[in-house]
Amino acid sequence: MKIKNYFKATIHESLLIGILLALVGGFLDIYTYILKGNVFANAQTGNIVLMGLKLANQDYLGAIYYLIPISTFFLGIIISEYIKQKAGTLDETLDKF
């Protein structure tokens, strides 16, 4: 194996793809924050930080406001994993026929 081939990055590890993903992620974060009621609907890290700030300021109702999108995001993960598990079971059943 040549050293040059060993260090060659695949497409998903390239700098251009990293920059594009950062730009798209940032756009979606600011879009959802501005247009969807000051919550981050794309990623939950911002919601957790904002909820922590509300808790630090003893604004408990404000903290609950950020707990709602975090909880629904978590519920969406559970539902999608359940569907994925059932689809895998369906694929195994169809393979028998």
Side-chain angles (χ1 to χ4, degrees):
M1 175 187 326
K2 294 182 180 181
I3 300 283
K4 185 178 179 182
N5 288 341
Y6 181 75
F7 288 108
K8 187 175 181 181
T10 59
I11 187 69
H12 67 278
E13 296 172 331
S14 71
L15 180 62
L16 177 63
I17 297 298
I19 291 170
L20 289 173
L21 287 173
L23 288 172
V24 169
F27 171 78
L28 289 173
D29 279 343
I30 197 66
Y31 169 79
T32 59
Y33 186 80
I34 291 173
L35 297 178
K36 302 298 180 187
N38 296 337
V39 295
F40 294 99
N42 182 43
Q44 298 310 305
T45 308
N47 288 331
I48 292 170
V49 169
L50 293 173
M51 184 177 68
L53 288 172
K54 295 289 185 182
L55 289 172
N57 290 328
Q58 297 179 346
D59 181 6
Y60 301 114
L61 286 176
I64 291 172
Y65 178 75
Y66 291 103
L67 190 61
I68 294 169
I70 293 169
S71 300
T72 55
F73 189 83
F74 181 70
L75 183 63
I77 292 171
I78 291 173
I79 292 170
S80 66
E81 286 298 317
Y82 176 78
I83 291 170
K84 188 171 88 173
Q85 182 184 17
K86 288 299 181 184
T89 306
L90 179 62
D91 287 341
E92 292 169 4
T93 304
L94 292 175
D95 287 342
K96 291 179 183 177
F97 291 107

